[in-house]
Amino acid sequence: MDKCTMCAGGPLETNSVHERELYGQNRIAEGKVPVCAAMCSTKALLVGDAESVSNVFRARVMARGGKGINSPYGWDKAYKNQ
């Protein structure tokens, strides 16, 4: 198996038929996210520039009440009686 190319095709910018056979579809050039992120049933894989990933993460945190990544489960809830 080759290293992940983030579904960006091969190293050449030709997008030739031969390159597509070797590396697959160039989803990045088509404005799409890699297949793994698109097919992730839990939407846990975030792909993009740091700002867009941060915006998605921030929206998810705010949807949970804005209490951070440890909410609603965290160390304090799991071990509060110990």
Side-chain angles (χ1 to χ4, degrees):
M1 178 175 151
D2 289 343
K3 197 170 233 188
C4 175
T5 63
M6 297 291 289
C7 294
L12 304 176
E13 295 183 13
T14 61
N15 295 323
S16 66
V17 173
H18 177 67
E19 188 174 82
R20 185 177 177 111
E21 288 174 4
L22 287 175
Y23 301 104
Q25 179 181 5
N26 190 337
R27 291 181 58 88
I28 302 301
E30 295 172 3
K32 300 176 183 175
V33 298
V35 173
C36 59
M39 299 301 291
C40 182
S41 62
T42 62
K43 302 297 182 206
L45 297 174
L46 299 177
V47 178
D49 61 21
E51 186 175 338
S52 63
V53 170
S54 178
N55 289 338
V56 170
F57 183 74
R58 187 176 298 112
R60 289 179 180 179
V61 169
M62 294 310 290
R64 290 191 313 232
K67 296 182 181 178
I69 62 173
N70 292 325
S71 178
Y73 309 105
W75 189 271
D76 60 331
K77 299 209 187 296
Y79 299 102
K80 72 178 182 178
N81 294 329
Q82 296 179 1

